Amino acid sequence: QVQLVESGGGLVQAGGSLRLSCAASGRTFSSYAVGWFRQVPGKEREFVAGISWSGVSYADSVKGRFTISRNNAKNTAYLQMNSLKPEDSAVYYCACRPVAVVVTTPTLYEYWGQGTQVTVSS
């Protein structure tokens, strides 16, 4: 079992930055793929970024603005979000799967955090 806890969300003006953290406990997840997703009411959860031993992947909408990273010694993953736009507003979730391959389908991730709200004002 892996428990994930996100933090770092909040309210920021357009053009600003936030750094989300995803702390894992229960077991080490260094060999797991980690994904960040986001969801707004009435819409499906969408892939934002993912990281594994095989590399990183980003949604087109965040390329060049968001950076995913991880610190395996701290069992924590991060999502640095720069140049934020109002359309980035959502609940952001981290997830992981015990396979070292990033996928964009939410249902293929086994463990999820509770989410953290990001609101970008115009």
Side-chain angles (χ1 to χ4, degrees):
Q1 288 287 338
V2 177
Q3 294 80 43
L4 302 175
V5 179
E6 302 96 336
S7 61
L11 174 64
V12 64
Q13 288 188 332
S17 298
L18 283 174
R19 187 196 196 202
L20 305 183
S21 298
C22 174
S25 61
R27 62 185 301 174
T28 182
F29 77 161
S30 60
S31 62
Y32 286 28
V34 177
W36 284 96
F37 292 79
R38 64 189 182 188
Q39 189 170 25
V40 298
K43 292 192 176 181
E44 294 186 352
R45 194 166 295 188
E46 67 170 352
F47 174 80
V48 175
I51 186 169
S52 73
W53 288 113
S54 61
V56 297
S57 179
Y58 296 96
D60 288 343
S61 60
V62 307
K63 279 181 182 176
R65 301 188 297 121
F66 290 12
T67 303
I68 188 171
S69 62
R70 67 195 298 171
N71 184 328
N72 289 330
K74 295 185 176 180
N75 237 22
T76 301
Y78 305 94
L79 185 68
Q80 177 66 44
M81 306 186 295
N82 299 329
S83 302
L84 283 161
K85 305 175 182 180
E87 53 263 43
D88 294 318
S89 297
V91 177
Y92 283 71
Y93 299 88
C94 72
C96 66
R97 61 195 298 258
V99 179
V101 176
V102 172
V103 293
T104 62
T105 305
T107 55
L108 296 179
Y109 286 80
E110 188 168 342
Y111 303 103
W112 289 84
Q114 82 290 347
T116 186
Q117 177 71 49
V118 171
T119 303
V120 184
S121 63
S122 57

